Amino acid sequence: MINYTEKIPNNVDLGRDRVLQRALEHWQPAYMGWWYDMGPNESHNYEVYLRTAISVEPDGWAQFGYVKMPDYRWGIFLQPRDEKREVNFGIHKGQSAWQEVPGEYRSTLRRVIVTQGDTEPASVEQQRMLGTSCPSMYDLRNIFQVNVEEGRHLWAMVYLLHRYFGRDGREEAESLLARRSGDADNPRILGAFNEATPDWLAFYMFTFFTDRDGKFQLCALAESGFDPLARTCRFMLTEEAHHMFVGETGVSRIIQRTCEVMKENKVEDPSDVRALGVIDLPTIQRYLNFHYSVTLDLYGSDVSSNAANYYTSGLKGRFRETKLNDDHVLTDAEYPVFEVVGGKIITKNVPALTALNERLRDDYIDEIADGVARWQRVIDSAGIPFRLTLPHKGFHREIGNFAGHLISPDGEVLSEEAWKNHEFEWLPNSKDYAYVQSLMSGRVVEPGKFANWIAPPARGINNQPLNFEYVRFN
Ligand SMILES: [Fe+2]
Ligand SMILES: [Fe+2]
């Protein structure tokens, strides 16, 4: 169970380490200052029907009840320790998992933790204005749930920095509250976390695509030989699942509503669809193309010596590392990556160790493809002849072997002119954004009511009815 009697709820026996406790209690007001500034706009007095972790065991870790978000019990929750756990890959394979940071990996590990930690507050900042245009109380509650949990993920990384990285760690923890998404002078570390999330379609796309990058990064870190990091990430993953659920069902409900309206009114032309106040399918495809491609960049370069080092040192594993059937050292293995040579995309085998970013990206793409197939089924069952597709992996990329090349969604290498002619058929254009924005000019908050452009969900949260009062405005 988690100790909620302490100022900082935790299951790491924080009270026994006075120095650490004081350091974190010092960081806490700074965190609250950040939440008041950058957390959901105008929400501080709302009472929100939230789940809070009460235990880290897989069953029954969540308790539901009304909470004012500034009173949410952010804290430090690690999966219980397995005394027999080992380093499961790389050159230290077979050693006992590390309970302290190995000196030679200190700065690398700190960098990995800071990079992960930075994404958590970033997404809260990106989403902070969306409450003012929510399509329902149910959705408003969901975005708040995602936001408080991203806040907790920041706590999770800050705990590791404070506990294991001394003064450097404390400074990094402060910087995590100082950077701002999209800020020209002090931006967040990774590109996708500096993009705007201007509307709810973007929010659902973000939670489907970009929170899923979070899942895959956490899965790779959950394999880490540094045991406290692994245990922290394991618990974060239970929260991440809900974020991706919000994204997948959100997009699915938008598609469903669009298809209903298209069928009822027997229209197919996007401008006719828009005239009926729902989001046309080509616009949804363009949003998909954008969020997918910027998220693919988050995995880093296709060929990366850093990725090889992280793996060889036992710091960051592969997706489901311990379930894979190989030597977990990868000295002789190869892996295919794409390259653009002479106007053509070719495949080239490289040492598997150097291609670990690409491999994680491919694992991610498999899961994404399944989700997109589920969206397609909504369109198909409405009998509408429209295909949602994932663009080519090289489309609209800025990092890795495709950077600097212009690739069409079909995987054709284009001239700059050809790209310019089609760019905004493939990516959301200013009219798309303006149209979607026009649908979301105000919020829908009457219990049980949903905006015209989205279908209600199949069921409520925690078995509550759809017309449940998920948020009480004070
Ligand atoms: Fe997160
Ligand atoms: Fe998340």
Side-chain angles (χ1 to χ4, degrees):
M1 292 301 263
I2 292 164
N3 184 350
Y4 274 105
T5 60
E6 291 194 47
K7 204 165 158 191
I8 299 170
N10 71 91
N11 69 345
V12 293
D13 215 356
L14 190 59
R16 292 248 299 240
D17 188 341
R18 289 288 165 199
V19 177
L20 174 63
Q21 190 179 30
R22 267 202 303 277
L24 283 166
E25 284 179 3
H26 185 74
W27 186 80
Q28 191 175 37
Y31 171 80
M32 289 310 299
W34 168 81
W35 179 269
Y36 276 106
D37 281 354
M38 298 312 294
N41 185 47
E42 288 178 1
S43 67
H44 305 313
N45 262 322
Y46 300 172
E47 288 174 76
V48 187
Y49 187 68
L50 294 177
R51 67 172 185 184
T52 305
I54 51 166
S55 146
V56 294
E57 305 302 329
D59 53 335
W61 62 275
Q63 172 184 290
F64 284 84
Y66 287 98
V67 181
K68 285 189 183 177
M69 284 187 283
D71 300 333
Y72 185 79
R73 306 307 312 275
W74 284 290
I76 298 153
F77 317 131
L78 274 65
Q79 199 96 101
R81 181 171 161 194
D82 168 5
E83 306 281 337
K84 293 198 282 287
R85 186 164 180 267
E86 296 180 347
V87 180
N88 293 312
F89 57 92
I91 53 171
H92 302 291
K93 185 171 174 287
Q95 292 179 7
S96 285
W98 309 310
Q99 300 306 322
E100 294 293 331
V101 178
E104 73 259 49
Y105 302 139
R106 204 180 144 84
S107 61
T108 315
L109 205 45
R110 192 185 64 212
R111 190 75 204 148
V112 168
I113 292 169
V114 167
T115 306
Q116 178 62 40
D118 193 67
T119 66
E120 315 289 357
S123 64
V124 176
E125 293 164 6
Q126 288 169 294
Q127 296 160 15
R128 73 178 300 263
M129 297 308 292
L130 291 175
T132 52
S133 59
C134 64
S136 74
M137 215 174 219
Y138 164 92
D139 290 280
L140 185 62
R141 178 259 165 222
N142 282 351
I143 195 172
F144 289 158
Q145 182 76 59
V146 171
N147 292 158
V148 293
E149 286 174 353
E150 299 305 4
R152 208 203 64 73
H153 291 177
L154 172 60
W155 271 91
M157 294 297 115
V158 162
Y159 163 71
L160 294 175
L161 290 170
H162 273 250
R163 165 68 180 78
Y164 296 98
F165 296 88
R167 193 200 159 117
D168 299 352
R170 290 195 293 279
E171 282 171 8
E172 293 285 11
E174 278 170 33
S175 303
L176 284 167
L177 294 175
R179 284 186 285 272
R180 290 286 181 270
S181 176
D183 190 284
D185 299 323
N186 197 11
R188 292 294 171 184
I189 295 169
L190 300 170
F193 292 89
N194 289 302
E195 301 282 351
T197 309
D199 56 62
W200 279 78
L201 178 57
F203 167 68
Y204 296 129
M205 290 287 179
F206 185 96
T207 39
F208 178 78
F209 285 104
T210 311
D211 280 69
R212 195 178 311 274
D213 160 69
K215 168 189 167 172
F216 277 80
Q217 300 298 340
L218 291 175
C219 281
L221 295 176
E223 303 290 345
S224 182
F226 178 48
D227 202 40
L229 175 61
R231 290 163 54 210
T232 301
C233 291
R234 287 252 170 258
F235 184 68
M236 290 163 77
L237 281 164
T238 59
E239 293 164 323
E240 211 59 71
H242 176 68
H243 308 177
M244 292 178 293
F245 159 85
V246 169
E248 178 168 340
T249 54
V251 174
S252 183
R253 289 161 53 210
I254 292 178
I255 293 173
Q256 186 191 330
R257 180 67 189 138
T258 298
C259 291
E260 283 168 9
V261 169
M262 288 171 72
K263 253 175 78 176
E264 271 167 34
N265 296 277
K266 301 192 173 59
V267 294
E268 269 180 25
D269 188 89
S271 56
D272 297 335
V273 174
R274 285 188 181 189
L276 294 162
V278 293
I279 304 172
D280 54 291
L281 298 173
T283 297
I284 294 173
Q285 175 72 60
R286 286 191 284 275
Y287 270 66
L288 180 162
N289 292 350
F290 175 78
H291 287 272
Y292 177 60
S293 56
V294 299
T295 305
L296 287 184
D297 272 343
L298 290 174
Y299 290 83
S301 295
D302 319 39
V303 176
S304 159
S305 57
N306 274 344
N309 287 336
Y310 294 168
Y311 186 83
T312 304
S313 342
L315 303 179
K316 184 178 177 185
R318 289 170 292 173
F319 183 55
R320 301 196 173 132
E321 180 71 44
T322 51
K323 307 240 159 50
L324 297 171
N325 257 329
D326 57 25
D327 66 1
H328 303 277
V329 189
L330 303 179
T331 18
D332 303 316
E334 293 194 322
Y335 195 84
V337 298
F338 284 140
E339 248 181 42
V340 183
V341 180
K344 287 237 153 25
I345 297 173
I346 58 153
T347 309
K348 191 176 138 188
N349 278 344
V350 298
L353 266 182
T354 63
L356 287 167
N357 287 342
E358 190 63 7
R359 180 177 179 135
L360 194 59
R361 186 162 27 233
D362 288 340
D363 289 330
Y364 166 83
I365 291 172
D366 286 346
E367 217 181 85
I368 285 289
D370 292 345
V372 173
R374 287 190 289 274
W375 291 340
Q376 182 64 46
R377 284 208 281 279
V378 178
I379 303 174
D380 293 345
S381 56
I384 289 168
F386 184 90
R387 283 216 70 75
L388 274 181
T389 49
L390 277 183
H392 189 274
K393 205 200 265 184
F395 171 77
H396 188 233
R397 291 285 305 282
E398 288 184 3
I399 288 175
N401 289 350
F402 290 111
H405 298 284
L406 300 165
I407 314 288
S408 76
D410 293 337
E412 223 185 306
V413 184
L414 302 179
S415 68
E416 197 163 335
E417 198 192 344
W419 169 264
K420 284 239 156 75
N421 285 336
H422 297 284
E423 183 177 2
F424 291 113
E425 293 161 28
W426 297 330
L427 290 168
N429 55 57
S430 54
K431 283 186 187 148
D432 295 335
Y433 284 123
Y435 173 67
V436 174
Q437 200 76 68
S438 76
L439 295 178
M440 303 177 194
S441 53
R443 62 183 194 180
V444 177
V445 287
E446 199 182 312
K449 275 251 150 63
F450 289 82
N452 177 58
W453 49 267
I454 191 165
R459 60 192 65 82
I461 290 294
N462 192 34
N463 296 319
Q464 299 292 356
L466 291 187
N467 63 359
F468 184 72
E469 192 177 19
Y470 289 104
V471 180
R472 292 178 183 151
F473 302 101
N474 291 313

